[in-house]
Amino acid sequence: MGKVIPKQEGLDHSVDFLREGYLFVANRRKSFQSNIFETRLLGERVICLGGEEAAEVFYDADKFMRQNAAPKRLLKTLFGEDGVQTLDGAAHTHRKHMFMSLMTKENIDRLLRLTYREWNQIERMGEEVVLYDIAQQVLMKAVCEWSGVPLAKEEVGKRTEEMRLLFESGTSLGPTYLQGRKARSSAEAWIRQMVKEVRSNRLLPNEHTALYEFSWHRDESGELLPEDVVAVEVLNILRPTVAISVYVLFTFLALHQFPEVKEQVERGEVSKTEFVQEVRRFYPFFPVAAARVKTDFEWDGYAFSEGTLTLLDLYGTNHDSSIWTEPDRFDPSRFKDWNESPFNFIPQGGGDVDFGHRCAGEHMTIAILAQVIELFTKEYAYTVPPQDLSYSFVDMPSLPKSKLRLTHLTRNQ
């Protein structure tokens, strides 16, 4: 007889999850003194896991699947329906290759040239600006051009706002969630029309862009993807890139709040990549990943039943004291000797980036944030006025309260 999974008592703990946010799983792992426990969320039995060994099991495609794992409210806002995140097996591998074909060094370098150009075209330079708003528009304009998606100047505000709502509204209640659903419908219709035009040769994007590649991509049976699926997948390029704006804020916050580490970066004692990786480990981004048990199996003496919803603790694993020395201390030097395990550092998911469910744009994220460090340590002068720089572990996504207001932003001569 196997071990009994520690169980949280009570009828349902969805309210607790919303109340505790990023710390919900980590708090219970600590109280149970266990990297596995059972709870109930939205009326369903759920197993929660955390830690490096648990992550390795969670990303085993023979044990877990993504079909029907994400809550419907996230499919209606964050992910879209029938996108790569919901696929398994050969279908997922084939679709993931479609994304990874864009993530070449040459293509990422091209995106960096576009983001650099947009940073240098910031309007209202010298006046007070909100970094979160600026970063979103910079990233939106750059990624649209990079993806072959035409974006008229008068549409920039509307389409950027839609991307923001897609990644901010999924865990919200009431009007904000409804705004997210409306944004999803509007954005998909926008891209779907472009797909029609590409397939009728009325719109001719560059062949090495997402809009072109995805419009003409054929699934494993040789059929073109439905137009609505192409729209979802193009948005799965645009929306996560704009969401890097969250990391832009935390990268800037770290430069501001840890001046001694900033000086180490400027002296070359800490690399930009090490700094970015510590930002991604230290600050909250996505709380958990979801999957369902594919078939009955046993791990570490615990029995997992087919179909059981399972959550992996992303934030808690990145702050696990059995993996990271002094995990609540900001220390980029820890990445000098990091073993590059795909399971102990999982801010954007774990496992293999090329074939698994790890975020396809991870290398792109690192490159964009390294560019932000270069800009705000060498090319821009600015003042950070008094403001509320605290962030909540309940809000998802978490952001500094002020969204980082800057004054006297100018380019260095």
Side-chain angles (χ1 to χ4, degrees):
M1 198 172 168
K3 300 186 213 175
V4 177
I5 298 177
K7 184 177 181 180
Q8 186 179 12
E9 298 299 327
L11 295 176
D12 192 274
H13 297 278
S14 303
V15 173
D16 294 331
F17 188 96
L18 292 175
R19 186 182 296 128
E20 297 175 51
Y22 291 88
L23 301 178
F24 175 83
V25 180
N27 285 342
R28 282 149 188 79
R29 287 172 58 203
K30 184 175 182 179
S31 64
F32 282 121
Q33 290 296 293
S34 172
N35 282 328
I36 180 172
F37 67 90
E38 178 185 325
T39 188
R40 292 191 71 84
L41 299 172
L42 298 177
E44 181 175 7
R45 174 177 177 259
V46 179
I47 293 176
C48 297
L49 301 171
E52 184 171 8
E53 293 180 1
E56 186 168 3
V57 171
F58 183 85
Y59 286 102
D60 184 336
D62 291 330
K63 293 182 172 64
F64 286 95
M65 61 184 183
R66 269 60 190 175
Q67 185 177 10
N68 298 321
K72 286 290 184 183
R73 63 185 296 112
L74 291 185
L75 296 180
K76 298 290 186 182
T77 51
L78 181 66
F79 296 128
E81 300 194 63
D82 300 319
V84 65
Q85 301 95 337
T86 67
L87 302 178
D88 296 291
H92 175 265
T93 300
H94 192 80
R95 188 83 62 84
K96 184 68 178 287
H97 179 73
M98 179 183 78
F99 280 84
M100 296 310 300
S101 69
L102 300 174
M103 302 301 167
T104 63
K105 182 181 185 304
E106 293 76 18
N107 242 1
I108 292 175
D109 286 346
R110 183 168 69 87
L111 179 59
L112 289 176
R113 289 193 295 272
L114 293 171
T115 54
Y116 184 80
R117 182 194 71 191
E118 294 301 332
W119 279 113
N120 284 310
Q121 292 180 357
I122 296 173
E123 297 179 0
R124 298 176 60 216
M125 187 76 82
E127 302 177 36
E128 180 171 290
V129 296
V130 178
L131 183 58
Y132 189 47
D133 298 341
I134 289 175
Q136 286 178 31
Q137 291 211 0
V138 163
L139 293 168
M140 183 63 176
K141 289 192 283 187
V143 74
C144 280
E145 184 169 341
W146 185 77
S147 301
V149 173
L151 181 64
K153 185 175 182 179
E154 60 271 18
E155 277 200 301
V156 171
K158 174 185 177 181
R159 299 306 180 184
T160 304
E161 176 71 358
E162 286 176 349
M163 295 306 106
R164 181 190 68 80
L165 283 167
L166 294 188
F167 65 79
E168 282 194 7
S169 66
T171 58
S172 300
L173 301 174
T176 301
Y177 174 68
L178 295 177
Q179 288 172 356
R181 290 194 59 162
K182 182 179 179 181
R184 166 62 62 180
S185 296
S186 174
E188 287 188 9
W190 175 52
I191 301 297
R192 192 162 53 244
Q193 180 59 35
M194 293 182 197
V195 177
K196 292 178 186 292
E197 294 178 7
V198 170
R199 289 180 173 176
S200 63
N201 294 316
R202 287 178 291 152
L203 179 61
L204 302 172
N206 184 285
E207 292 186 5
H208 302 293
T209 60
L211 182 59
Y212 180 91
E213 295 279 1
F214 294 7
S215 293
W216 295 113
H217 178 80
R218 295 183 181 273
D219 63 22
E220 63 275 19
S221 64
E223 298 295 323
L224 288 175
L225 297 177
E227 291 171 356
D228 57 344
V229 174
V230 177
V232 166
E233 299 298 37
V234 172
L235 290 173
N236 274 332
I237 292 287
L238 305 188
R239 181 258 311 157
T241 304
V242 176
I244 294 173
S245 57
V246 175
Y247 272 144
V248 169
L249 287 199
F250 283 128
T251 298
F252 185 94
L253 184 64
L255 291 170
H256 177 67
Q257 293 189 323
F258 303 105
E260 70 286 354
V261 183
K262 177 184 176 183
E263 291 174 5
Q264 291 173 352
V265 173
E266 293 172 332
R267 292 194 300 266
E269 297 167 6
V270 169
S271 73
K272 295 184 194 68
T273 298
E274 290 163 354
F275 191 95
V276 167
Q277 296 292 57
E278 181 68 345
V279 167
R280 295 171 67 233
R281 185 201 68 83
F282 185 80
Y283 294 101
F285 187 64
F286 211 76
V288 296
R292 288 193 183 275
V293 177
K294 186 174 183 179
T295 185
D296 292 357
F297 73 93
E298 187 175 293
W299 170 70
D300 196 28
Y302 297 108
F304 288 72
S305 302
E306 180 179 346
T308 305
L309 180 61
T310 305
L311 303 181
L312 176 67
D313 184 9
L314 302 183
Y315 179 81
T317 299
N318 290 333
H319 286 75
D320 192 322
S321 59
S322 68
I323 301 172
W324 307 99
T325 303
E326 295 184 79
D328 295 325
R329 181 166 62 93
F330 187 85
D331 180 15
S333 67
R334 70 176 78 244
F335 283 95
K336 290 183 185 295
D337 300 317
W338 176 49
N339 64 5
E340 298 193 35
S341 164
F343 303 111
N344 63 18
F345 177 52
I346 52 176
Q348 291 172 268
D352 185 272
V353 69
D354 290 310
F355 303 103
H357 281 272
R358 197 180 189 101
C359 177
E362 184 169 28
H363 296 306
M364 191 165 73
T365 301
I366 295 167
I368 287 172
L369 295 178
Q371 182 184 70
V372 168
I373 294 172
E374 180 76 9
L375 288 169
F376 285 94
T377 57
K378 294 184 178 179
E379 299 199 20
Y380 287 142
Y382 54 86
T383 300
V384 182
Q387 59 192 283
D388 187 353
L389 296 174
S390 67
Y391 54 94
S392 167
F393 287 99
V394 175
D395 297 335
M396 295 179 280
S398 179
L399 297 166
K401 296 293 185 184
S402 66
K403 299 182 181 178
L404 270 164
R405 293 183 293 108
L406 305 180
T407 57
H408 310 110
L409 179 65
T410 56
R411 288 190 61 82
N412 291 322
Q413 300 299 317

Coordinates of all heavy atoms in Angstrom, one line a residue, residues 4-20 23-29 31-32 34 36-42 44-48 311:
V4 N -0.1 7.9 1.8 CA -1.3 8.7 1.6 C -0.9 10.2 1.4 O -0.1 10.8 2.2 CB -2.2 8.6 2.9 CG1 -3.4 9.5 2.8 CG2 -2.6 7.2 3.1
I5 N -1.5 10.8 0.4 CA -1.1 12.2 0.1 C -1.8 13.1 1.2 O -2.9 13.0 1.5 CB -1.7 12.6 -1.3 CG1 -1.0 11.8 -2.4 CG2 -1.5 14.1 -1.6 CD1 -1.6 12.0 -3.8
P6 N -1.0 14.0 1.8 CA -1.5 14.9 2.8 C -2.7 15.7 2.2 O -2.6 16.1 1.0 CB -0.3 15.8 3.1 CG 0.9 15.0 2.8 CD 0.5 14.2 1.6
K7 N -3.7 15.8 2.9 CA -5.0 16.4 2.4 C -5.4 17.6 3.2 O -5.5 17.6 4.4 CB -6.1 15.4 2.4 CG -7.4 15.8 1.8 CD -8.4 14.7 1.7 CE -9.7 15.1 1.1 NZ -10.7 14.0 1.1
Q8 N -5.7 18.7 2.4 CA -6.2 19.9 3.1 C -7.7 19.7 3.3 O -8.5 19.4 2.4 CB -6.0 21.1 2.2 CG -6.4 22.4 2.8 CD -6.1 23.6 1.9 OE1 -5.8 23.5 0.7 NE2 -6.2 24.8 2.4
E9 N -8.1 19.9 4.6 CA -9.5 19.7 4.9 C -10.3 20.9 4.5 O -9.9 22.0 4.3 CB -9.6 19.6 6.5 CG -8.9 18.4 7.0 CD -9.4 17.1 6.5 OE1 -10.6 17.0 6.2 OE2 -8.6 16.1 6.4
G10 N -11.6 20.7 4.2 CA -12.5 21.7 3.8 C -13.2 21.4 2.5 O -12.6 20.6 1.7
L11 N -14.3 22.0 2.2 CA -15.1 21.7 1.0 C -14.4 22.3 -0.3 O -14.4 21.6 -1.3 CB -16.5 22.3 1.1 CG -17.4 21.7 2.2 CD1 -18.7 22.4 2.2 CD2 -17.6 20.2 1.9
D12 N -13.8 23.5 -0.2 CA -13.2 24.1 -1.4 C -12.3 25.2 -0.9 O -12.6 25.9 0.0 CB -14.3 24.6 -2.3 CG -13.8 25.0 -3.7 OD1 -13.3 26.2 -3.8 OD2 -13.8 24.2 -4.6
H13 N -11.2 25.4 -1.6 CA -10.2 26.4 -1.2 C -9.9 27.4 -2.3 O -8.8 28.0 -2.3 CB -9.0 25.7 -0.8 CG -9.2 24.9 0.4 ND1 -9.2 25.4 1.7 CD2 -9.5 23.5 0.5 CE1 -9.5 24.4 2.6 NE2 -9.7 23.2 1.9
S14 N -10.9 27.6 -3.3 CA -10.7 28.6 -4.3 C -10.5 30.0 -3.8 O -9.6 30.7 -4.3 CB -11.8 28.5 -5.3 OG -12.0 27.2 -5.8
V15 N -11.3 30.3 -2.8 CA -11.1 31.7 -2.2 C -9.8 31.9 -1.6 O -9.1 32.9 -1.7 CB -12.3 31.9 -1.2 CG1 -12.0 33.3 -0.5 CG2 -13.6 32.0 -1.9
D16 N -9.3 30.8 -0.9 CA -7.9 30.9 -0.3 C -6.9 31.1 -1.4 O -5.9 31.8 -1.2 CB -7.6 29.6 0.4 CG -8.5 29.4 1.6 OD1 -9.0 30.4 2.2 OD2 -8.8 28.2 2.0
F17 N -7.1 30.4 -2.6 CA -6.1 30.5 -3.6 C -6.1 32.0 -4.1 O -5.0 32.6 -4.3 CB -6.5 29.6 -4.8 CG -5.4 29.6 -5.9 CD1 -4.5 28.6 -5.9 CD2 -5.4 30.5 -6.9 CE1 -3.5 28.5 -6.9 CE2 -4.4 30.5 -7.9 CZ -3.5 29.5 -7.9
L18 N -7.2 32.6 -4.3 CA -7.3 34.0 -4.7 C -6.7 34.9 -3.6 O -6.1 35.9 -3.9 CB -8.7 34.4 -5.1 CG -9.3 33.7 -6.3 CD1 -10.8 34.1 -6.5 CD2 -8.5 34.1 -7.6
R19 N -6.9 34.5 -2.4 CA -6.5 35.4 -1.3 C -4.9 35.3 -1.1 O -4.3 36.3 -0.7 CB -7.2 34.9 0.0 CG -6.9 35.8 1.2 CD -7.5 35.3 2.5 NE -9.0 35.3 2.3 CZ -9.8 34.3 2.6 NH1 -9.2 33.1 2.9 NH2 -11.1 34.4 2.4
E20 N -4.4 34.1 -1.4 CA -2.9 33.9 -1.1 C -2.1 34.0 -2.4 O -0.9 34.2 -2.4 CB -2.7 32.6 -0.4 CG -3.3 32.5 0.9 CD -3.2 31.2 1.5 OE1 -2.0 30.6 1.6 OE2 -4.2 30.6 2.0
L23 N 1.6 32.4 -3.2 CA 2.1 31.7 -2.1 C 1.1 30.5 -1.6 O 1.4 29.8 -0.7 CB 2.3 32.6 -0.9 CG 3.3 33.8 -1.2 CD1 3.3 34.7 0.1 CD2 4.6 33.2 -1.5
F24 N 0.0 30.3 -2.3 CA -1.0 29.3 -1.9 C -0.3 27.9 -1.8 O -0.5 27.3 -0.8 CB -2.1 29.3 -2.9 CG -3.1 28.2 -2.6 CD1 -4.1 28.4 -1.6 CD2 -3.1 27.0 -3.2 CE1 -5.1 27.4 -1.4 CE2 -4.0 26.0 -3.0 CZ -5.0 26.2 -2.0
V25 N 0.3 27.5 -2.9 CA 0.9 26.2 -2.8 C 2.1 26.1 -1.9 O 2.3 25.2 -1.1 CB 1.3 25.7 -4.2 CG1 1.9 24.3 -4.2 CG2 0.1 25.7 -5.2
A26 N 3.0 27.1 -2.0 CA 4.2 27.1 -1.1 C 3.9 27.1 0.4 O 4.5 26.4 1.1 CB 5.0 28.3 -1.5
N27 N 2.8 27.9 0.7 CA 2.4 27.9 2.2 C 2.0 26.5 2.7 O 2.4 26.1 3.8 CB 1.3 28.9 2.4 CG 1.7 30.3 2.3 OD1 2.9 30.7 2.4 ND2 0.7 31.2 2.1
R28 N 1.3 25.8 1.8 CA 0.9 24.5 2.3 C 1.9 23.4 2.2 O 2.0 22.5 3.0 CB -0.4 24.1 1.5 CG -1.6 24.8 2.0 CD -2.7 25.1 0.9 NE -3.7 25.9 1.5 CZ -3.6 27.3 1.7 NH1 -2.4 27.9 1.3 NH2 -4.5 28.0 2.2
R29 N 2.8 23.6 1.2 CA 4.0 22.7 1.2 C 4.8 22.8 2.5 O 5.3 21.8 3.1 CB 4.9 23.0 0.0 CG 4.4 22.6 -1.4 CD 5.2 23.1 -2.5 NE 6.6 22.7 -2.4 CZ 7.6 23.3 -2.9 NH1 7.4 24.4 -3.6 NH2 8.8 22.8 -2.8
S31 N 3.5 24.0 5.5 CA 2.8 23.5 6.6 C 2.7 22.0 6.7 O 2.7 21.4 7.8 CB 1.4 24.2 6.6 OG 0.6 23.8 5.5
F32 N 2.6 21.4 5.5 CA 2.5 19.9 5.5 C 3.9 19.3 5.5 O 4.0 18.1 5.7 CB 1.8 19.4 4.2 CG 0.3 19.6 4.2 CD1 -0.4 20.3 3.2 CD2 -0.5 18.9 5.1 CE1 -1.7 20.4 3.2 CE2 -1.8 19.0 5.1 CZ -2.5 19.8 4.2
S34 N 5.8 18.8 3.1 CA 5.7 17.8 2.0 C 5.6 18.6 0.7 O 5.0 19.7 0.6 CB 4.4 17.0 2.2 OG 4.2 16.2 1.0
I36 N 4.1 17.5 -1.8 CA 2.8 17.1 -2.4 C 1.7 17.1 -1.4 O 1.9 16.8 -0.3 CB 2.9 15.6 -3.0 CG1 1.6 15.2 -3.7 CG2 3.4 14.6 -1.9 CD1 1.8 13.8 -4.4
F37 N 0.5 17.7 -1.9 CA -0.6 17.6 -1.0 C -1.9 17.7 -1.9 O -1.8 18.0 -3.1 CB -0.6 18.8 0.0 CG -0.8 20.2 -0.6 CD1 -2.0 20.8 -0.8 CD2 0.4 20.9 -1.0 CE1 -2.2 22.0 -1.3 CE2 0.2 22.2 -1.5 CZ -1.0 22.7 -1.7
E38 N -3.0 17.4 -1.3 CA -4.3 17.4 -2.0 C -5.2 18.5 -1.5 O -5.2 18.8 -0.3 CB -5.0 16.1 -1.9 CG -6.3 16.0 -2.6 CD -7.0 14.6 -2.3 OE1 -6.3 13.6 -2.1 OE2 -8.3 14.6 -2.1
T39 N -5.9 19.2 -2.4 CA -6.8 20.2 -2.0 C -8.1 20.1 -2.9 O -8.1 19.2 -3.8 CB -6.2 21.6 -2.0 OG1 -7.1 22.6 -1.5 CG2 -5.8 22.0 -3.5
R40 N -9.0 21.1 -2.8 CA -10.1 21.2 -3.7 C -10.2 22.6 -4.2 O -10.2 23.6 -3.4 CB -11.4 20.8 -3.1 CG -11.5 19.3 -2.7 CD -12.9 18.9 -2.3 NE -13.9 18.9 -3.5 CZ -14.0 17.9 -4.3 NH1 -13.2 16.8 -4.2 NH2 -14.8 18.0 -5.3
L41 N -10.3 22.8 -5.6 CA -10.4 24.1 -6.2 C -11.5 24.0 -7.2 O -11.5 23.1 -8.0 CB -9.1 24.5 -6.8 CG -7.8 24.6 -5.9 CD1 -6.6 24.9 -6.7 CD2 -8.0 25.8 -4.9
L42 N -12.3 25.0 -7.2 CA -13.5 25.1 -8.1 C -14.3 23.8 -8.1 O -14.7 23.3 -9.1 CB -13.0 25.4 -9.6 CG -12.3 26.8 -9.7 CD1 -11.8 26.9 -11.2 CD2 -13.3 27.9 -9.4
E44 N -13.2 20.8 -7.5 CA -12.5 19.6 -8.1 C -11.4 19.2 -7.2 O -10.6 20.1 -6.7 CB -12.0 19.9 -9.5 CG -11.3 18.8 -10.2 CD -11.0 19.0 -11.6 OE1 -11.1 20.2 -12.1 OE2 -10.5 18.1 -12.3
R45 N -11.1 17.9 -7.1 CA -10.0 17.4 -6.4 C -8.7 17.8 -7.2 O -8.6 17.6 -8.4 CB -10.0 15.9 -6.2 CG -8.8 15.2 -5.6 CD -9.0 13.8 -5.4 NE -7.8 13.1 -4.9 CZ -6.9 12.4 -5.7 NH1 -7.2 12.3 -7.0 NH2 -5.9 11.9 -5.1
V46 N -7.7 18.4 -6.5 CA -6.5 18.8 -7.1 C -5.3 18.4 -6.3 O -5.3 18.5 -5.1 CB -6.5 20.4 -7.2 CG1 -5.2 20.8 -7.9 CG2 -7.7 20.8 -8.0
I47 N -4.3 17.9 -7.0 CA -3.0 17.6 -6.4 C -2.0 18.7 -6.7 O -1.9 19.1 -7.8 CB -2.4 16.2 -6.9 CG1 -3.3 15.1 -6.4 CG2 -1.0 16.0 -6.4 CD1 -2.9 13.7 -7.0
C48 N -1.3 19.2 -5.7 CA -0.4 20.2 -5.8 C 1.0 19.7 -5.6 O 1.3 18.9 -4.6 CB -0.6 21.4 -4.9 SG -2.2 22.2 -5.2
L311 N -1.4 20.7 -10.1 CA -0.7 22.0 -10.2 C 0.7 21.9 -9.8 O 1.0 21.4 -8.7 CB -1.5 23.1 -9.4 CG -2.9 23.3 -9.7 CD1 -3.5 24.4 -8.7 CD2 -3.2 23.7 -11.1

